[in-house]
Amino acid sequence: MPSRPLPTPLYQVIPITDPEDPRIEPYREVRERDLVGRDGLFIAEGAVVIRSLVQSPRYRPRSLLIADKRLAALEPMLTALPANTPVYTATQAVLDRIAGFPLHRGILAVGEKTAVPTVANLLDACGPVARVVMLFGIGNHDNMGGIFRNAAAFGADAVILDPGCCDPLYRKAIRVSVGATLLVPTARLAPDDDPLALLDRFGFEAVALSPAGAETLAALSPPRRAALLFGSEGPGLPPALLARARGVRIPMAGGFDSLNVATTSGIVLHHIASGQAS
Amino acid sequence: MPSRPLPTPLYQVIPITDPEDPRIEPYREVRERDLVGRDGLFIAEGAVVIRSLVQSPRYRPRSLLIADKRLAALEPMLTALPANTPVYTATQAVLDRIAGFPLHRGILAVGEKTAVPTVANLLDACGPVARVVMLFGIGNHDNMGGIFRNAAAFGADAVILDPGCCDPLYRKAIRVSVGATLLVPTARLAPDDDPLALLDRFGFEAVALSPAGAETLAALSPPRRAALLFGSEGPGLPPALLARARGVRIPMAGGFDSLNVATTSGIVLHHIASGQAS
């Protein structure tokens, strides 16, 4: 019986035995560094997140680093890699020494951006019924990741960041988002952008979440093109912005007026998604 | 002009200059230890959380440890302490050495339980319109803290834990909850309790959150006495339990079927609170 030829893998498997090998330099001591800002590179970890990276039309893996014992199980994902992507492999012991901590997930990738849309690009690309999330001064990576996760779960069209927000490509934000920061379209406002004028130009109504909002969320009938504005937990949204937007509040029980901003985004996006579905 | 006599403080200020002082032993290296289980003691940090501890009818501070520079500002809270509560003070440098890390918040407390209600006690104490949260296998302290925070924000009557849940009095869970784990009544099921029989006995309908639920949350008309059941993110609720409860799902966008369990609790509690308000 003639043997069928094996398909040639498009990725390259490159075994690494020396933790000091210069080829895996971007993976060294990943906890100590934040690759964002260095030529737009970032670190993604775990199979679920890296699958998002492989699927994403806006990012791509530059290389992977995998525990050799996991190589076979990850094969289906690896076949989807762009041609010639280096896949470095190492024993778990060498991997842990490279990463600087026990890397139980056994897989890391260095990713890079392939497209950098503007806020106007993203708003323009939305359909007649759309919801975008717009964030002001969100500096906590857990919250940033959580908001992207909710945006993906409820099908938000984009997450737009003001200049005061942290980078959603920071390793922890990517991890908390379960890869959603690599899937949901995102762009950052310029310091001299007027966010409300920009929204208005593309027919989006600004809905500002604030304890001082005149309407309750439960009573909100969502506009067809809705921009949902969230500020950080302490200071909230800038007063100048609140004064010009439709203010919406989430009523809370007496004496404990405190919701996490990522949780708030989930509550709001669920309300909007339910309203538009019914 | 006669001077007014100063009121005698009921708490005792005890300056600490030696980080090895045995009186502050429970505060030493707080990151390295988990005081829960040691005679029911726990560590609370930060003024907001400790204010909850002072207010709580179920917990009380056994002692406080404060950066001396913060003593004056914290005075209003200290006057509400039980008589003779020791308030240890130290310079920021000594405080950091005791705690084992830079203690920016400048205030810690050792707390203890004063009352340990049973699940039946809590269910029995609820009014005719009530909602309790019931958790199964929630092992992550961030999620536990987040769920309590949402329970407090939306006025849940109690949070009930199965034997597989982590302790809500773990330091990080208390901190993430912004003190809500000290305010919302809570009790733990015994290993041989039948949770659904117990709920039924007190007239609570069990609403089980699950991606396989037959109803959508948006269409759910909340029962007057509702028990909201949540499982951990991976395994979800036990199948035997799902089979006997009313299953409710939160529809998500295609391809990203993933919500954080704390966020889910916020979405559900908001829906129930809005429905009962209108």
Side-chain angles (χ1 to χ4, degrees), chain A residues 149-150 152-155 177-180 183 217-218 233 250-253 256 258-260 262-263 266-267 270-271 274, chain B residues 149-150 152-155 177-180 183 217-218 233 250-253 256 258-260 262-263 266-267 270-271 274:
Chain A
R149 184 174 178 181
N150 294 335
F154 293 114
S177 82
V178 200
L183 293 175
L217 177 65
E233 282 181 44
I250 296 177
M252 276 172 251
F256 198 86
S258 168
L259 271 181
N260 167 270
T263 299
I267 293 171
H270 173 258
H271 175 78
S274 312
Chain B
R149 184 174 178 181
N150 294 336
F154 293 114
S177 81
V178 200
L183 293 175
L217 176 66
E233 283 182 42
I250 296 178
M252 276 173 251
F256 198 85
S258 169
L259 270 182
N260 168 270
T263 299
I267 293 171
H270 172 258
H271 175 78
S274 313

Side-chain angles (χ1 to χ4, degrees), chain B residues 149-270:
Chain B
R149 184 174 178 181
N150 294 336
F154 293 114
D157 297 275
V159 175
I160 293 163
L161 313 173
D162 89 329
C165 287
C166 66
D167 198 312
L169 297 181
Y170 187 87
R171 192 175 62 96
K172 193 178 186 190
I174 300 176
R175 191 182 66 215
V176 170
S177 81
V178 200
T181 61
L182 303 175
L183 293 175
V184 180
T186 186
R188 195 179 283 268
L189 292 160
D192 57 352
D193 277 339
D194 177 340
L196 295 190
L198 202 50
L199 290 173
D200 193 52
R201 193 172 125 208
F202 291 97
F204 279 80
E205 184 171 0
V207 174
L209 270 291
S210 163
E215 296 174 66
T216 66
L217 176 66
L220 176 72
S221 178
R224 283 168 63 78
R225 282 189 144 189
L228 309 163
L229 279 48
F230 301 92
S232 67
E233 283 182 42
L237 286 166
L241 206 142
L242 276 175
R244 293 165 58 205
R246 184 169 171 186
V248 168
R249 73 180 186 279
I250 296 178
M252 276 173 251
F256 198 85
D257 189 14
S258 169
L259 270 182
N260 168 270
V261 65
T263 299
T264 305
S265 75
I267 293 171
V268 173
L269 286 164
H270 172 258

Side-chain angles (χ1 to χ4, degrees), chain B residues 60-93:
Chain B
R60 74 172 158 226
R62 180 175 276 201
S63 70
L64 273 69
L65 173 60
I66 299 181
D68 46 19
K69 66 184 177 200
R70 297 207 55 198
L71 195 59
L74 293 166
E75 176 71 25
M77 184 175 71
L78 299 180
T79 57
L81 287 174
N84 301 318
T85 305
V87 175
Y88 302 109
T89 61
T91 61
Q92 186 69 47

Side-chain angles (χ1 to χ4, degrees), chain A:
Chain A
M1 198 168 103
S3 65
R4 260 208 325 218
L6 288 168
T8 314
L10 290 169
Y11 57 93
Q12 308 173 46
V13 174
I14 303 167
I16 299 288
T17 52
D18 176 6
E20 303 301 316
D21 191 312
R23 290 173 295 182
I24 46 75
E25 196 280 334
Y27 294 99
R28 205 161 287 138
E29 300 293 340
V30 291
R31 277 194 174 155
E32 304 304 318
R33 53 168 87 190
D34 178 3
L35 278 171
V36 169
R38 297 199 199 176
D39 309 317
L41 299 185
F42 57 89
I43 286 277
E45 62 184 307
V48 172
V49 165
I50 292 171
R51 200 164 290 124
S52 297
L53 174 59
V54 173
Q55 288 168 1
S56 171
R58 284 169 300 279
Y59 305 97
R60 74 172 159 225
R62 181 175 275 202
S63 69
L64 273 68
L65 173 60
I66 300 181
D68 46 19
K69 66 185 176 198
R70 297 208 56 197
L71 195 59
L74 292 167
E75 175 73 24
M77 183 175 71
L78 299 179
T79 57
L81 287 173
N84 300 318
T85 305
V87 176
Y88 301 110
T89 61
T91 62
Q92 187 69 47
V94 169
L95 198 61
D96 293 351
R97 284 190 54 199
I98 295 169
F101 66 100
L103 194 79
H104 300 301
R105 292 166 195 257
I107 174 166
L108 292 173
V110 169
E112 63 189 333
K113 295 181 186 178
T114 57
V116 181
T118 65
V119 174
N121 292 155
L122 294 184
L123 295 176
D124 195 30
C126 288
V129 175
R131 59 210 99 140
V132 301
V133 170
M134 196 177 254
L135 304 179
F136 293 83
I138 304 293
N140 176 294
H141 295 108
D142 281 289
N143 287 338
M144 184 59 78
I147 292 168
F148 268 88
R149 184 174 178 181
N150 294 335
F154 293 114
D157 298 274
V159 175
I160 293 162
L161 313 172
D162 89 329
C165 287
C166 66
D167 198 314
L169 297 181
Y170 187 87
R171 193 174 61 96
K172 192 178 186 191
I174 299 177
R175 192 181 64 216
V176 171
S177 82
V178 200
T181 61
L182 303 174
L183 293 175
V184 180
T186 186
R188 195 179 283 269
L189 292 160
D192 57 353
D193 276 339
D194 177 340
L196 295 189
L198 203 49
L199 291 172
D200 193 53
R201 192 172 123 208
F202 291 98
F204 279 80
E205 184 171 359
V207 173
L209 270 293
S210 163
E215 296 174 68
T216 66
L217 177 65
L220 175 72
S221 178
R224 283 170 62 79
R225 282 190 144 188
L228 309 163
L229 280 47
F230 300 91
S232 67
E233 282 181 44
L237 286 165
L241 205 142
L242 276 175
R244 293 165 59 205
R246 185 171 171 184
V248 168
R249 71 179 187 281
I250 296 177
M252 276 172 251
F256 198 86
D257 189 14
S258 168
L259 271 181
N260 167 270
V261 65
T263 299
T264 304
S265 75
I267 293 171
V268 172
L269 285 165
H270 173 258
H271 175 78
I272 304 260
S274 312
Q276 285 174 346
S278 64

